Amino acid sequence: MNWWRALSTGGRLLVVVAGIAILAGAAVVFMLITDTGGTIEFPGQLSETTPSAETVTPASDEVDDPGTPEAKAPTPTEPSSPERVFGALRGIRDESGGTWQTVWIDVDTADFLTGDAALAFLTSQGDQDFYDADYWYIRDEGAAITSFKIPPSGQGTVKVIMYTYPNVPSIGFYGPAMDEQVVAFGQFYDAIYMDEDSSGLLGRYYWFTVEEGIIVAIEEQPRDPYYEP
């Protein structure tokens, strides 16, 4: 330690300061090594750390082709079924000034009853003694009149089926086996309004075939098979 003794007081101070600085530097290096897991990055040196699990892989440039969407077949719409309305014919009105473009048929609607339904109705009225299985019976639905149009294309499109007009069946042939007689709507109308309804077509009961509020056919309901004209 002769060199220490040979140093002046100032030199000794410098040596002490230098020693302290070396110890401090060593401590800093030790801390860096500890914090970085044993790797020290110096300026200009690239890190060789392994990417973490959160590293996002760039998306591929290829896009999945969803393909052509399957065309759905249109849902078929069922045409509305014709409705058969039963009732008494009360009148035919032409409100188009004779052009037959707006013609109304007034129907006093009713229920057509046979069998058990007829017997139950007659029993409710106290008329069960008048029941006959070969007859049909009427149950009125009320005093209101229901009006239906005929097609605006004119009277020629309405089919009229009669059983007792214009030819009246002979006695004994009046019943379900009668032949149908197809009558033009114009003839039917004239028999009521031009011939003063001499055949008594008003007030009879008919079946009216109705499609969307329009009558396309009229069929007479014959009276019971034991009725004689």
Side-chain angles (χ1 to χ4, degrees):
M1 299 276 312
N2 291 331
W3 60 273
W4 178 260
R5 295 177 182 176
L7 291 176
S8 62
T9 302
R12 292 178 181 175
L13 181 60
L14 289 175
V15 171
V16 172
V17 171
I20 293 173
I22 291 172
L23 292 175
V28 171
V29 171
F30 178 78
M31 291 175 65
L32 289 175
I33 292 174
T34 303
D35 292 341
T36 58
T39 303
I40 301 177
E41 293 184 8
F42 294 97
Q45 180 179 351
L46 296 179
S47 173
E48 297 180 357
T49 57
T50 303
S52 65
E54 297 180 356
T55 303
V56 179
T57 304
S60 173
D61 293 336
E62 296 182 1
V63 179
D64 293 338
D65 183 7
T68 303
E70 182 180 355
K72 293 184 178 180
T75 303
T77 56
E78 295 292 336
S80 57
S81 299
E83 178 186 7
R84 281 172 57 84
V85 177
F86 178 74
L89 175 63
R90 298 304 183 194
I92 303 175
R93 296 176 287 115
D94 178 13
E95 297 184 354
S96 57
T99 64
W100 293 89
Q101 296 301 304
T102 308
V103 178
W104 294 89
I105 296 181
D106 299 328
V107 180
D108 188 359
T109 57
D111 291 324
F112 177 84
L113 303 177
T114 59
D116 292 341
L119 177 58
F121 169 66
L122 292 175
T123 301
S124 69
Q125 303 296 312
D127 295 330
Q128 61 271 14
D129 293 340
F130 296 99
Y131 172 73
D132 190 312
D134 292 325
Y135 285 69
W136 54 269
Y137 299 86
I138 301 165
R139 178 172 57 199
D140 292 328
E141 295 184 348
I145 301 297
T146 303
S147 298
F148 303 94
K149 284 185 177 182
I150 68 170
S153 55
Q155 53 180 311
T157 57
V158 180
K159 184 177 183 180
V160 180
I161 299 175
M162 301 294 297
Y163 295 95
T164 64
Y165 170 85
N167 300 319
V168 179
S170 301
I171 294 177
F173 291 92
Y174 198 107
M178 291 185 297
D179 294 331
E180 67 177 37
Q181 303 174 57
V182 178
V183 179
F185 184 83
Q187 178 184 349
F188 184 72
Y189 180 88
D190 289 343
I192 296 173
Y193 294 102
M194 302 300 291
D195 197 22
E196 298 182 354
D197 196 23
S198 60
S199 297
L201 302 183
L202 283 178
R204 293 192 188 187
Y205 285 88
Y206 301 84
W207 290 95
F208 301 88
T209 302
V210 182
E211 295 182 357
E212 298 182 354
I214 296 177
I215 289 179
V216 296
I218 301 172
E219 181 179 1
E220 179 189 7
Q221 170 60 46
R223 299 180 186 180
D224 62 81
Y226 296 102
Y227 173 83
E228 296 181 356

